[in-house]
Amino acid sequence: MLTKQKDKHFYIFDYFLDGYFLKWEEVEGDCPVCGQTLAINLENGTEVVTQVVEIEPISETESRILLSSC
């Protein structure tokens, strides 16, 4: 009997906050949606609460996520 594994989908998200590049991240799962509130953890340990304003697809596996300060 063979065990079938689910296909895992990895995406690269480039986050821009108020027009400035914030960070990029490789994520397994679904893309955020417009209007969704996200808490973004920065490299220095700071957490920034943002809202998704727009999502620009770059390729099948990469998207530019435009955020606004909450």
Side-chain angles (χ1 to χ4, degrees):
M1 178 180 206
L2 295 174
T3 303
K4 187 174 182 180
Q5 293 182 340
K6 291 183 181 180
D7 291 336
K8 292 185 179 182
H9 298 281
F10 290 92
Y11 299 97
I12 295 174
F13 298 140
D14 301 320
Y15 295 102
F16 288 82
L17 177 61
D18 298 329
Y20 295 96
F21 178 76
L22 194 58
K23 72 179 237 176
W24 74 273
E25 181 176 48
E26 185 176 45
V27 178
E28 178 185 359
D30 297 322
C31 186
V33 294
C34 289
Q36 180 178 354
T37 301
L38 293 178
I40 305 293
N41 295 311
L42 303 178
E43 291 179 8
N44 66 4
T46 305
E47 181 178 83
V48 180
V49 178
T50 65
Q51 184 172 23
V52 178
V53 177
E54 188 176 342
I55 299 167
E56 297 176 352
I58 297 172
S59 69
E60 284 186 25
T61 59
E62 186 172 3
S63 294
R64 182 176 291 135
I65 311 294
L66 304 178
L67 306 167
S68 177
S69 302
C70 288

